[in-house]
Amino acid sequence: MVQTNPVPKLFQPVQVGDLTLNHRVVLAPLTRLRANDKHVHGDMAVRYYGQRASVPGTLLITEATYIAPWAGSISVHAPGVWSDDQVAAWKRVADAVHSKGSYIFMQIWAIGRATDPAELAKDGDYPYIAPSAVPLAGSDVAPRPMTVAEIQQHIDGFVTAAKSAVFRAGFDGVEVHSAHGYLLDQFLQDSTNKRTDDYGGSVENKARFPLAVIDAVTKAIGEKRTAVRISPWSAWNDVGVADQIPTFTYFVSRLAQDHPNLAYLSIVEPGLSAGEDKAIEEGETNDFIRKLWLPRTLISAGRYTRESAIQKAEETGELIAFGRRFLSNPDLPFRLRNNLPLTKWSRDVYYTPEDPHGYIDYTTYDGKL
């Protein structure tokens, strides 16, 4: 009798919300700064995402997208989703992805203390605000603590952005960005949340605002179209404490209890802080999150190779998000399945505004894109 090797789980179909993917290889959210100075994407983004949708049944997660002009800024070249022009541009992206038989979620974010005030000023006279008056490392400019009204404004802003992404631009869902030291994550972190009101102090209070955002977004677009990203061990934007487990145990437990039908939970593995690698410290592990969340749909990202991704998917059934490798290999699911050589990425062209180089000039293995 002929023995056949079973297809690894990484390359088997999986359900995400109401979507049936053909495999578990996901495009991680990657800031690339290719929008114009009005935060509007053009033809390059349509091509970029369309290229990475070339293997049918792939899930793509977009770069982080501003919910509103007042929600902070790191660059005028990061995209937004509040103006008609921005939404129309994103609809072209979604249509391109769907035409290839793939799917796309928009990652939506607010910036808080990670804002560059000079970039924010280019969009208007908006305040530099955050949970508390804690400046970024190396800066002598501290943000103003947010009022309760401004917290509610941001909750409403996330809802409007989610509805625009799904109902106007035609996205399959949104991923709420609560990672890497941006606004929602800042509320969760002891190092950046010094509040003494209902939004600071206890773990329950620190999680109040992020949970309220997720509650409101799920009510607006549905749980199966809503996802959340967290990064318990990231040191980006100088957040983090020695023991993240109590805070994130509470946060993930509440997600599981309150929103068991979320499309997915996305976690960043130890050893990765946004776009930078970092040393993995003793005790840093996301296994406690897996125990809380699985068998619900889980996506993890962080320095995976083909071998480690296959192993992790076999062990847990989770999906694996690739950033740098997907950046430089638009047909990555095909290459991984067939164990084909991968093209190396170039960090020099990660964040070059409106530049096609290192963005849409990587080809598929057959050289057709």
Side-chain angles (χ1 to χ4, degrees):
M1 189 176 190
V2 176
Q3 294 287 330
T4 59
N5 293 325
V7 175
K9 280 185 182 178
L10 187 65
F11 310 116
Q12 292 180 17
V14 64
Q15 196 76 12
V16 174
D18 287 329
L19 309 176
T20 301
L21 311 183
N22 287 347
H23 55 82
R24 290 169 165 82
V25 178
V26 176
L27 173 66
L30 297 167
T31 293
R32 304 303 310 279
L33 304 183
R34 263 48 177 207
N36 68 19
D37 62 4
K38 302 299 182 185
H39 310 285
V40 178
H41 265 317
D43 292 343
M44 279 196 300
V46 175
R47 186 173 178 188
Y48 170 80
Y49 286 107
Q51 288 172 334
R52 282 146 192 84
S54 60
V55 177
T58 298
L59 175 63
L60 311 183
I61 306 167
T62 74
E63 67 218 275
T65 301
Y66 300 132
I67 60 170
W70 39 258
S73 178
I74 61 164
S75 169
V76 292
H77 292 285
V81 68
W82 67 84
S83 75
D84 289 343
D85 287 347
Q86 292 162 2
V87 173
W90 276 124
K91 187 176 189 309
R92 293 179 61 214
V93 169
D95 289 347
V97 170
H98 291 150
S99 74
K100 303 291 181 64
S102 290
Y103 307 100
I104 187 165
F105 271 51
M106 182 185 293
Q107 190 189 68
I108 52 177
W109 70 342
I111 312 303
R113 67 186 283 273
T115 287
D116 180 340
E119 292 296 299
L120 181 63
K122 295 175 183 178
D123 285 324
D125 185 19
Y126 300 113
Y128 175 34
I129 55 178
S132 302
V134 180
L136 283 170
S139 172
D140 57 3
V141 179
R144 173 175 61 74
M146 293 169 69
T147 66
V148 172
E150 287 167 335
I151 290 173
Q152 185 60 53
Q153 178 189 33
H154 279 74
I155 294 170
D156 295 340
F158 273 98
V159 168
T160 300
K163 291 167 70 174
S164 293
V166 171
F167 300 133
R168 297 178 62 200
F171 275 67
D172 298 296
V174 300
E175 179 182 285
V176 176
H177 194 330
S178 186
H180 293 311
Y182 294 104
L183 183 63
L184 301 192
D185 193 33
Q186 291 161 25
F187 272 82
L188 290 171
Q189 303 284 350
D190 290 340
S191 59
T192 49
N193 185 344
K194 308 296 184 182
R195 300 176 74 97
T196 57
D197 63 0
D198 289 344
Y199 295 93
S202 68
V203 170
E204 293 81 4
N205 281 356
K206 289 186 297 182
R208 189 182 305 277
F209 172 45
L211 289 172
V213 168
I214 296 156
D215 286 344
V217 170
T218 57
K219 286 183 175 70
I221 64 171
E223 285 190 4
K224 291 185 177 182
R225 290 180 172 137
T226 305
V228 183
R229 190 176 219 214
I230 58 175
S231 59
W233 309 107
S234 174
W236 196 249
N237 291 318
D238 41 84
V239 297
V241 295
D243 185 5
Q244 296 283 47
I245 292 178
T247 296
F248 284 92
T249 293
Y250 175 77
F251 187 64
V252 174
S253 297
R254 281 292 306 273
L255 293 179
Q257 171 188 306
D258 299 346
H259 303 292
N261 296 312
L262 286 176
Y264 61 84
L265 175 66
S266 174
I267 57 174
V268 179
E269 290 289 86
L272 190 66
S273 287
E276 304 289 340
D277 293 339
K278 65 181 282 286
I280 300 174
E281 305 294 337
E282 184 178 354
E284 292 187 349
T285 175
N286 283 332
D287 286 348
F288 75 102
I289 292 176
R290 291 182 170 91
K291 291 177 182 177
L292 293 167
W293 188 257
L294 292 170
R296 301 171 187 86
T297 305
L298 182 71
I299 300 177
S300 64
R303 299 163 64 175
Y304 278 103
T305 63
R306 180 181 188 271
E307 293 72 24
S308 63
I310 289 173
Q311 179 180 349
K312 182 60 72 175
E314 289 296 321
E315 292 172 353
T316 67
E318 66 199 67
L319 293 77
I320 308 298
F322 291 86
R324 292 166 282 195
R325 287 170 176 79
F326 221 143
L327 178 157
S328 56
N329 297 274
D331 57 344
L332 183 66
F334 174 79
R335 294 201 198 200
L336 292 178
R337 176 155 188 170
N338 293 282
N339 200 17
L340 298 170
L342 300 183
T343 301
K344 181 68 175 177
W345 59 88
S346 172
R347 187 174 293 275
D348 292 341
V349 289
Y350 277 5
Y351 312 116
T352 47
E354 299 186 70
D355 183 359
H357 302 297
Y359 190 61
I360 55 174
D361 52 358
Y362 291 110
T363 64
T364 54
Y365 187 71
D366 59 15
K368 289 183 178 179
L369 286 181

